[in-house]
Amino acid sequence: MEQAFFLFVAVVATASGLAVVMARNPIHSALALIVCFVQVAAVFLLLRAPLLAVIQMFVYVGAVIILFLFVIMMLDVRKEIRTPFLKRWTAVAVTIVVLLAAEMFALLLLGEQWQTPSFALKSGQMSSVRELSIALFTEFLFPFEIASVILLVALVGAIILTRKETN
Amino acid sequence: MVPLSWYLTLGAVLFVIGIAGVLLRRNVLIVLLSLELMLNSVNINLVAFSNTLGGYQGQIIAIFVITITAAEVAIALGILVVLMRNNATLEVDEVTILKG
């Protein structure tokens, strides 16, 4: 049952990921990416990480993609793009992609340790938000503070970047 | 039970799709969207390992990845708006202002 659900989610995620890359219109790309992110949230639920699934929905679907859609609608992307793919260096790029894919799938399919039963996923309850937050606020307090400073820098930086010169 | 290798394969497939978008597309918006896809596939791997090994570290690192992604998107879209205002192009091979 769970495997069937995972296969369904994985197929939809792969198809919408391909749609992100293949679509001509950036708006279609962004909408396909929303579908893909919802599937990834379902994968997080399958992995017993409900907090991450919720964060995925809120932050990615609710904030990041909506920001993208705002910017796409603000900029003028209506002019027909005749050549959506790069003209030069295509052979080099395709070679890099194929080599990388071959390497990753060779490691995944030939690697012994991913199939051993000792790595079998634990069944049972979801991981609790309480323990996750205790770890976040004790063991990972310093990275947490650094992340908040980075968010502040991004906030101020985005405002300063897009401000019009007033002189 | 879904084996770990399935999750890793899904992550690898999404990563390859994302890197194809980054390397092959001309529109800078779609390049950024493909970048988001790559970051998400890494998150799948992190959470899968976190679940398999029975700790919280992977999930916490995934939360940090999401945080940094939000910051990166804000800055990148700001740069894009300024670029569009100055240069009026969205094609990655026509943005050559840094070239002396």
Side-chain angles (χ1 to χ4, degrees):
Chain A
M1 182 63 206
E2 203 170 310
Q3 291 191 348
F5 187 65
F6 176 85
L7 283 179
F8 172 72
V9 164
V11 166
V12 176
T14 309
S16 54
L18 279 174
V20 171
V21 175
M22 306 295 281
R24 277 176 176 269
N25 194 332
I27 289 188
H28 297 165
S29 266
L31 293 178
L33 198 60
I34 287 183
V35 177
C36 189
F37 282 173
V38 173
Q39 307 309 312
V40 175
V43 170
F44 287 163
L45 274 184
L46 277 180
L47 283 165
R48 272 83 178 163
L51 181 68
L52 263 177
V54 171
I55 289 179
Q56 169 92 7
M57 292 297 290
F58 281 176
V59 176
Y60 271 118
V61 180
V64 170
I65 298 296
I66 299 301
L67 193 64
F68 261 106
L69 282 175
F70 268 123
V71 171
I72 291 172
M73 290 173 187
M74 227 166 62
L75 305 177
D76 183 25
V77 292
R78 273 174 305 175
K79 56 181 176 187
E80 180 66 30
I81 304 162
R82 299 252 177 258
T83 51
F85 294 99
L86 281 175
K87 280 170 291 189
R88 292 182 300 163
W89 302 104
T90 314
V92 181
V94 169
T95 316
I96 291 175
V97 171
V98 169
L99 276 180
L100 185 81
E103 194 176 334
M104 284 166 75
F105 290 115
L107 274 177
L108 271 177
L109 299 177
L110 302 180
E112 304 288 314
Q113 66 267 42
W114 315 128
Q115 271 86 25
T116 51
S118 67
F119 270 74
L121 293 180
K122 285 181 311 191
S123 60
Q125 79 278 21
M126 298 271 179
S127 69
S128 80
V129 178
R130 178 188 162 85
E131 289 175 46
L132 188 67
S133 15
I134 286 177
L136 186 62
F137 285 108
T138 55
E139 199 181 340
F140 292 89
L141 186 61
F142 188 57
F144 183 79
E145 297 292 338
I146 290 182
S148 58
V149 172
I150 288 176
L151 278 177
L152 181 68
V153 169
L155 186 71
V156 177
I159 293 174
I160 288 182
L161 268 176
T162 51
R163 195 183 51 178
K164 280 220 167 65
E165 301 286 331
T166 54
N167 52 359
Chain B
M1 232 44 283
V2 186
L4 174 67
S5 56
W6 291 20
Y7 291 108
L8 298 184
T9 310
L10 176 63
V13 167
L14 289 184
F15 192 86
V16 168
I17 292 175
I19 207 164
V22 169
L23 287 178
L24 290 172
R25 285 306 295 250
R26 243 177 126 223
N27 193 319
V28 67
L29 278 165
I30 297 184
V31 170
L32 280 176
L33 288 171
S34 308
L35 208 65
E36 301 302 312
L37 195 61
M38 288 165 69
L39 285 162
N40 240 283
S41 68
V42 173
N43 274 352
I44 294 179
N45 278 11
L46 284 172
V47 181
F49 279 122
S50 156
N51 190 357
T52 309
L53 302 174
Y56 291 102
Q57 282 83 5
Q59 291 190 34
I60 287 175
I61 293 174
I63 290 178
F64 284 134
V65 170
I66 292 177
T67 315
I68 302 302
T69 306
E72 171 248 326
V73 164
I75 295 286
L77 290 180
I79 292 176
L80 214 69
V81 169
V82 178
L83 183 75
M84 196 66 186
R85 192 188 293 154
N86 292 338
N87 219 346
T89 181
L90 278 177
E91 317 295 315
V92 281
D93 50 350
E94 287 171 19
V95 184
T96 52
I97 336 171
L98 276 180
K99 209 171 168 183

